Amino acid sequence: MAQEDKEKIKEIIEEDIWGSIKEFLDLGFHYTSGDSSIHITIGNLLLITIAFIITSFILQWVRRFFTRKMETDDKLKFISIFKFIKYLVYIVVILFTMSAAGIDITILITASAALFVGLGLALQDLFQDIIGGIFIIVDKSLRVGDIIEVDGKVGKVFEIKLRTTRAITRDDKIIIIPNHHFISDIVYNYTQNHKTTRESVKVGVAYGSDVQLVTKILEGLVKEQRGVLKSPKPFVIFEDFGDSALLFSLNFFISDSFSDPRIKSELRYKIDAAFRKNNITIPFPQRDVHIYQQTPFQHSNAQTDTKQ
């Protein structure tokens, strides 16, 4: 009697309860075309969801494992790369889960081939930016705080992301630079090797000026200028004999090249005042025009000539 009851309970569980669950999981969209078929059911969607959750948990554990001993800057860079890898892993897991669940994904891939090609052509710049971002992060060719010059604009980098790099200019404007510029274009990095940079202020004086006095004035002014480093020592170069002036350059070193326009401006004010005090002239471009006339100028009346 007990054996019969056990068999009845087992039959009820297998046929009624499990059968109902199976019927519920098989509900969904079914499409068949020849030998190929697509089945999108509640069970398949549930399986994909579970696989997605498990994959997310594993990826989160992997990220924590690799970043546990990293510095904050390196950790942020690794997370940026990891986000791109995570999306690729999600796509692979979803496709693999669909295939394991009995869904024929060949039709889906074939139908989407043209779409993938179109997306690839449309998003090639995006892929270049992402690859450029990975190179920047891996080889550390650019860091937060670096001062760069792109397309004639100088900015200080404050954020490096996987697709773009952001920098703030000297007039407090934000430059958003696609990362592929750093692998395809020439970019000046003022602080790649160190924070110290050499700057210069150029000035011309009139012919006949005392060049030794000019040199002495320039050297004295730069030594008193705030923001200019004492070492390496500033120096003056007599560059050339120009068309209208004797050309000098005042060279000095600073530790914050982002603020060099302000320092250069202050030096120019001081140079102008010192030259005025010492009667040293800063000339403007001049040209002498000489007219040579070989024969006397003859005037003819055009109207008279026409009437004749």
Side-chain angles (χ1 to χ4, degrees):
M1 186 71 178
Q3 184 67 27
E4 292 179 358
D5 292 339
K6 290 181 179 180
E7 290 181 357
K8 287 181 180 180
I9 294 173
K10 183 178 180 181
E11 185 177 348
I12 291 172
I13 294 175
E14 290 180 354
E15 294 183 2
D16 295 342
I17 300 177
W18 175 245
S20 299
I21 295 174
K22 189 175 181 182
E23 288 179 3
F24 174 76
L25 294 176
D26 287 338
L27 293 176
F29 175 77
H30 302 273
Y31 174 78
T32 302
S33 177
D35 297 334
S36 302
S37 61
I38 297 177
H39 302 281
I40 302 176
T41 64
I42 295 176
N44 292 336
L45 294 176
L46 184 61
L47 181 61
I48 292 173
T49 303
I50 294 173
F52 190 85
I53 294 173
I54 294 174
T55 303
S56 299
F57 177 78
I58 295 174
L59 289 174
Q60 188 175 6
W61 180 84
V62 170
R63 191 192 71 181
R64 290 179 178 176
F65 177 79
F66 282 103
T67 60
R68 68 187 191 280
K69 295 182 179 180
M70 288 184 179
E71 298 179 358
T72 303
D73 189 27
D74 294 335
K75 184 183 294 186
L76 293 175
K77 293 178 181 180
F78 179 84
I79 291 174
S80 298
I81 298 177
F82 194 78
K83 285 181 180 179
F84 178 69
I85 298 174
K86 181 174 66 175
Y87 297 143
L88 295 179
V89 172
Y90 282 153
I91 293 174
V92 172
V93 169
I94 290 173
L95 293 177
F96 180 78
T97 305
M98 292 173 64
S99 179
I103 300 176
D104 188 1
I105 62 174
T106 56
I107 296 178
L108 181 63
I109 295 176
T110 303
S112 304
L115 177 62
F116 291 155
V117 172
L119 286 174
L121 293 175
L123 300 177
Q124 57 181 346
D125 289 339
L126 175 62
F127 293 144
Q128 289 181 3
D129 291 337
I130 292 174
I131 293 173
I134 292 174
F135 284 158
I136 290 173
I137 294 171
V138 171
D139 64 11
K140 298 182 179 180
S141 59
L142 189 68
R143 298 174 180 269
V144 173
D146 282 354
I147 299 172
I148 59 174
E149 180 180 343
V150 181
D151 294 336
K153 297 183 180 298
V154 177
K156 180 183 289 185
V157 176
F158 68 88
E159 187 178 37
I160 301 174
K161 291 189 173 182
L162 193 61
R163 192 182 68 83
T164 59
T165 294
R166 288 171 170 80
I168 185 169
T169 64
R170 287 167 172 158
D171 51 359
D172 291 332
K173 295 179 180 179
I174 304 300
I175 305 177
I176 301 175
I177 310 166
N179 285 334
H180 74 267
H181 282 287
F182 296 101
I183 60 175
S184 60
D185 299 340
I186 297 176
V187 177
Y188 291 97
N189 191 328
Y190 293 176
T191 53
Q192 175 67 51
N193 297 326
H194 45 71
K195 298 299 181 183
T196 302
T197 58
R198 192 182 83 175
E199 308 294 340
S200 66
V201 172
K202 299 182 184 298
V203 63
V205 299
Y207 276 90
S209 301
D210 187 345
V211 294
Q212 297 299 329
L213 178 59
V214 171
T215 303
K216 183 179 179 181
I217 291 173
L218 294 177
E219 290 177 344
L221 292 175
V222 74
K223 288 179 181 179
E224 299 174 356
Q225 176 60 42
R226 184 178 58 182
V228 174
L229 299 178
K230 304 299 181 183
S231 179
K233 186 178 179 181
F235 58 93
V236 176
I237 293 180
F238 187 170
E239 288 194 336
D240 202 357
F241 296 93
D243 293 337
S244 305
L246 304 175
L247 303 178
F248 290 82
S249 66
L250 174 59
N251 299 272
F252 53 92
F253 297 85
I254 60 176
S255 58
D256 183 13
S257 57
F258 197 64
S259 62
D260 80 301
R262 177 181 55 81
I263 296 175
K264 290 180 179 179
S265 176
E266 291 178 3
L267 280 172
R268 292 187 183 104
Y269 275 115
K270 293 177 180 179
I271 290 171
D272 181 71
F275 281 6
R276 290 176 184 272
K277 183 178 179 181
N278 290 274
N279 296 320
I280 297 175
T281 303
I282 301 177
F284 53 85
Q286 302 178 41
R287 292 290 184 273
D288 292 334
V289 179
H290 300 273
I291 299 176
Y292 296 95
Q293 186 172 345
Q294 301 293 337
T295 59
F297 179 75
Q298 296 180 354
H299 173 73
S300 61
N301 192 325
Q303 294 181 353
T304 303
D305 294 344
T306 303
K307 290 179 180 181
Q308 291 177 355

